[in-house]
Amino acid sequence: TVRAQRCLGGSQTPRARPGRDALACARTGDRVRSHNLFAKAVELDPSNEAAWLWYANTATDPQLAARGLRMA
C-alpha cells in the first residue's frame, strides 16, 4: 500500500515529509520507525504541537513521552 511504502521510505520527493511518513508508520504499527520520524519532524519544526503529541504517543521510553507532552 502507499502507506506502507511511505513508512519504508518510498517517498517520491527528494526531501521526505517526516510527519506524513511517521503517521503512515504509526498506522501500519511500526512504532519505533514512527517515533524516529516524528523526532525528525519536531527537529525540523519544533512548534508543531501535533508532531510532539505523536512523538510522545509513539515513545517507548517514558522520559521521551513526558518530553513530548511537555513540548506540546
Side-chain angles (χ1 to χ4, degrees):
T1 68
V2 172
R3 190 176 289 157
Q5 185 179 12
R6 281 188 193 137
C7 180
L8 295 173
S11 178
Q12 299 296 320
T13 59
R15 182 176 175 176
R17 296 183 195 162
R20 184 190 66 190
D21 294 346
L23 279 173
C25 289
R27 290 181 177 135
T28 61
D30 190 342
R31 189 173 176 171
V32 172
R33 181 152 172 77
S34 177
H35 180 76
N36 291 336
L37 288 167
F38 278 118
K40 182 180 255 188
V42 298
E43 181 180 318
L44 294 172
D45 183 6
S47 66
N48 187 334
E49 291 180 19
W52 279 113
L53 289 172
W54 276 100
Y55 173 93
N57 188 44
T58 57
T60 56
D61 179 334
Q63 290 181 341
L64 291 177
R67 178 176 184 250
L69 293 174
R70 278 193 310 273
M71 295 302 291

